[in-house]
Amino acid sequence: PELKHVKKFLREAKKVQKISPVVSYYCRLYAVQEAMKLDKSVKTPATNQFISEQLSILEEIKKSSNWTELSKDQTIDQIIEMANNIFDHADEVDRAGNATKATATAFHSAYVFYEILKQFGERDFDVEERAKYALFKTTDLLKAFKEGRKPTPGPPNQQNEGQNDIGEMGNLEQQSFPSNPSQNYENYEPYPSQQPISQPVSQPIPQPVQQPTSTPTHVYQQKTNMLQFENKVKACAEAERIMKHAFSAMRFND
């Protein structure tokens, strides 16, 4: 139970281990770092065993012929590229009004990749905003499907403000997110050409701009809209601890 919060990082590490060993490595490393942060009062022999096993796996990954040693900046660029590719497609599908459970899974994957960037220090503002939005859309979509209604495309607005109370949602960590990449992203290619990434590609994160809500875009109007759901998104960050039962009716097939 004490390791429940790190499962999502291992899940994403397994998904991308053949596509990008570097991204997979840092997902697994972040899981280890989070496990090591646990207070001694909650650690068990299983915790120490988990840490030991993961460290061994990390060593093996670096010894692999597929491993490419990158600088810190190159590593960050590669993780952001992976997260952006997944996020952008999920955002496009959502804003077109075609979101499915797989879209929620894709948003959650993007959130995890943005989250592991914390191990490199303070994240850029745009990365943090994308992470917040990805987590918001994950919970918003899952809640809509749970209630049997069509999700509202795009960001929240005055009309749907207050419809996403975290207390009514289930624990994301209880969800059985698919582990097969081909099932996760509605048969689209979230990674460039679905081939292992050996060379880092620097891709700047789009700056927020004002655009019509009806137009698919990968930024979120302006800071005004972000303020409208800032408290709600902060609550989403607590979802992994307080959401327990509401999604028992929804299960993703492994």
Side-chain angles (χ1 to χ4, degrees):
E2 73 276 7
L3 295 173
K4 186 184 299 184
H5 68 295
V6 307
K7 288 183 178 180
K8 58 182 173 289
F9 304 114
L10 294 184
R11 182 172 59 241
E12 299 304 325
K14 292 175 182 177
K15 289 180 189 176
V16 301
Q17 59 187 357
K18 293 182 178 179
I19 300 169
S20 176
V22 170
V23 176
S24 178
Y25 176 91
Y26 284 98
C27 282
R28 200 175 292 274
L29 179 60
Y30 192 72
V32 172
Q33 292 173 348
E34 290 299 291
M36 294 178 69
K37 290 178 183 177
L38 289 171
D39 190 88
K40 291 182 180 180
S41 62
V42 298
K43 284 185 178 179
T44 66
T47 307
N48 294 329
Q49 181 180 355
F50 167 82
I51 293 173
S52 178
E53 290 176 350
Q54 294 305 314
L55 289 175
S56 296
I57 294 175
L58 289 171
E59 290 180 4
E60 290 301 316
I61 292 176
K62 280 207 167 185
K63 293 178 182 178
S64 169
S65 59
N66 294 328
W67 178 255
T68 301
E69 196 67 42
L70 302 177
S71 68
K72 176 182 175 181
D73 288 342
Q74 290 173 329
T75 299
I76 292 174
D77 286 344
Q78 193 164 115
I79 295 173
I80 289 177
E81 180 190 18
M82 178 78 74
N84 285 350
N85 285 335
I86 297 172
F87 178 97
D88 288 346
H89 186 89
D91 191 42
E92 182 177 354
V93 170
D94 172 60
R95 289 173 186 269
N98 300 319
T100 67
K101 293 178 182 178
T103 311
T105 300
F107 270 121
H108 190 260
S109 294
Y111 164 73
V112 170
F113 292 135
Y114 290 132
E115 188 76 358
I116 68 171
L117 290 169
K118 288 181 177 179
Q119 65 191 290
F120 301 104
E122 186 175 353
R123 297 177 299 177
D124 290 343
F125 174 80
D126 292 321
V127 170
E128 291 188 346
E129 293 303 286
R130 279 180 172 243
K132 291 176 183 178
Y133 188 79
L135 184 58
F136 163 74
K137 289 305 300 184
T138 300
T139 53
D140 185 59
L141 291 174
L142 291 179
K143 184 171 186 285
F145 297 132
K146 167 65 169 59
E147 296 175 349
R149 59 179 173 83
K150 184 176 177 62
T152 302
N157 51 47
Q158 295 291 349
Q159 284 68 41
N160 63 22
E161 189 75 22
Q163 292 182 359
N164 297 290
D165 296 332
I166 297 303
E168 299 179 3
M169 299 180 186
N171 192 333
L172 288 178
E173 294 308 318
Q174 298 295 329
Q175 297 302 307
S176 180
F177 288 100
S179 58
N180 185 339
S182 66
Q183 298 175 358
N184 291 339
Y185 311 118
E186 303 171 297
N187 297 320
Y188 74 87
E189 296 187 358
Y191 318 117
S193 72
Q194 288 289 342
Q195 297 298 320
I197 301 174
S198 58
Q199 297 297 327
V201 179
S202 179
Q203 180 177 331
I205 303 173
Q207 296 297 316
V209 295
Q210 179 72 33
Q211 293 190 17
T213 303
S214 59
T215 302
T217 177
H218 311 312
V219 290
Y220 323 119
Q221 274 64 69
Q222 288 187 329
K223 193 171 181 180
T224 301
N225 277 351
M226 289 302 301
L227 290 175
Q228 290 177 358
F229 67 92
E230 184 67 22
N231 290 336
K232 176 166 28 180
V233 174
K234 288 180 180 179
C236 285
E238 299 296 320
E240 296 172 9
R241 294 193 295 271
I242 65 174
M243 299 189 298
K244 295 181 179 178
H245 303 294
F247 282 93
S248 59
M250 277 192 346
R251 294 287 179 182
F252 292 95
N253 294 323
D254 289 331

